[in-house]
Amino acid sequence: MKKFTLLFAALLLTAPVVSLADSVAGCASEGDNWWSEERAIMGTEVRVELWHIQQAEACAAIEDVMLELERIEQAMSPFLPTSLLTQLNENAARRPVTVGEELYNLIAHSVEFSAMTDGAFDVTYASAGRFYDYRKKVSPDADALAQVIDAIDYKHLEFNSRKYSIRYLNENVYVDLGGIAKGYAVDRGIEVLISKGFTQAVVAAGGDSRILGDRQGEPWIVGIRDPRKEDTMVAVLPLVDISVSTSGDYERYFERDGVRYHHIIDPDTGDSARDVRSVTILGDQAVMTDALSTSVFVLGTMRGLELINRMKDVDAIVVDGNGVMHVSNSLLEMVATK
Ligand code: ADP
Ligand code: MG
């Protein structure tokens, strides 16, 4: 494992680190025809960076990506009273609600991840998850949890693919796409750029990033932070043309009586999943890496890595409950053969 970190750390010198930290207002030059902008969307910091020789075209394209992500937020936020998702949550226990092709497809796709992960990924987690408030240190008591725990089950979602409508078969079901929507939005942002002919870019929304192409012949360098030490990296990866998602127990959490309550919920218990501290997934599409980072977090080190090792072209880096790092088989082989 030491070799792994050292090998990649050496490459850090040859290319800049992807950084979400230095915020600049508006579209700004990064030098050498690279342009970037950050904006708060979907409850997180969105960053777009791309290469183009003309500032006007570069900044217009970044604006188009931001608008696409803002459009997705308007449709899929559970906090906006006007969003399609809110309309679904308010009405679907009583009647089928037509949500349109895009939201329908993303919820249907979520259910495919539920089936693939033995229910670890489940957008109905929010039937209980919505009773937590991490900022106010609120968690549901045992009675409140007992009343809604049965509602966590993706099988309560009834789909009508002709009408793009969804109905909830249990009255306490509540859907939240926080484990997949940012990855979906990142993919859509990259598609906007591809359709305009861009070949080198990064779109990142919080812990979900997708890299298009390389950095003028060099890889992007992505650091994976230590879940307990903000300024320390557990791994540094040179990457091109790939999506990366990290789920951690350090982003939204509070502690009570020595127990950490955080935003990734085990659908079996309605309580935070506590086997691991962070999971990073590498793969082609951000919608998949986002859903799988949340899934592997819930599954834990053993079952999570088993799932990833069965899949093609997907890798994982897990920091377990003792702070020990584990990686998927093909990542291990890659490091060993370098
Ligand atoms: P973030 O980038 O918001 O930290 P993660 O990919 O780490 O997102 O996923 C955490 C989010 O996923 C939570 O904030 C919640 O919205 C949602 N979530 C929590 N538990 C589950 C689960 N078991 N299945 C699906 N989504 C979940
Ligand atoms: Mg995720």
Side-chain angles (χ1 to χ4, degrees), residues 179 247 290-291 293-294:
S247 292
D290 188 8
S293 68
T294 310

Side-chain angles (χ1 to χ4, degrees), residues 121 178-180 208 245-247 289-295:
F121 188 84
I180 193 167
D208 302 297
S245 292
T246 298
S247 292
T289 58
D290 188 8
L292 287 178
S293 68
T294 310
S295 308

Side-chain angles (χ1 to χ4, degrees), residues 69-241:
L69 269 63
E70 283 166 358
R71 182 190 67 74
I72 292 168
E73 179 180 32
Q74 291 297 318
M76 300 190 185
S77 167
F79 307 114
L80 296 173
T82 52
S83 77
L84 279 170
L85 183 63
T86 298
Q87 287 167 40
L88 179 71
N89 277 327
E90 283 180 355
N91 300 300
R94 278 175 280 120
R95 58 175 171 81
V97 176
T98 301
V99 291
E101 191 173 349
E102 184 179 39
L103 180 56
Y104 180 95
N105 284 340
L106 189 59
I107 297 177
H109 198 32
S110 299
V111 164
E112 289 171 18
F113 282 106
S114 301
M116 191 196 296
T117 62
D118 216 1
F121 188 84
D122 192 328
V123 292
T124 69
Y125 85 92
S127 310
R130 69 185 173 127
F131 297 108
Y132 290 85
D133 187 328
Y134 301 98
R135 239 173 281 158
K136 294 183 182 155
K137 302 191 174 192
V138 173
S139 60
D141 61 28
D143 285 349
L145 209 52
Q147 282 185 19
V148 292
I149 192 74
D150 290 346
I152 305 181
D153 190 343
Y154 62 96
K155 289 173 186 151
H156 294 320
L157 304 177
E158 188 182 70
F159 293 89
N160 183 326
S161 60
R162 271 179 303 111
K163 295 182 175 164
Y164 294 121
S165 71
I166 297 171
R167 188 161 78 103
Y168 297 169
L169 302 176
N170 175 303
E171 62 175 356
N172 292 319
V173 170
Y174 189 90
V175 167
D176 185 311
L177 298 171
I180 193 167
K182 285 198 285 290
Y184 173 74
V186 162
D187 283 336
R188 294 291 314 189
I190 287 289
E191 279 160 29
V192 166
L193 295 177
I194 290 173
S195 73
K196 291 174 183 296
F198 287 84
T199 54
Q200 297 175 81
V202 169
V203 176
D208 302 297
S209 310
R210 181 158 162 185
I211 298 170
L212 174 65
D214 61 13
R215 219 182 139 88
Q216 298 292 81
E218 297 291 337
W220 284 85
I221 301 297
V222 177
I224 299 167
R225 61 158 276 194
D226 184 316
R228 292 295 176 269
K229 288 188 223 116
E230 198 169 345
D231 300 331
T232 310
M233 301 291 176
V234 292
V236 181
L237 310 170
L239 299 172
V240 294
D241 249 324

Side-chain angles (χ1 to χ4, degrees), residues 11-26:
L11 287 160
L12 178 62
L13 305 172
T14 65
V17 171
V18 178
S19 167
L20 292 167
D22 7 310
S23 284
V24 192

Side-chain angles (χ1 to χ4, degrees), residues 45-58:
E45 183 171 88
V46 169
R47 178 181 164 87
V48 182
E49 182 167 352
L50 51 75
W51 186 91
H52 197 273
I53 48 170
Q54 281 179 332
Q55 177 171 11
E57 277 185 48

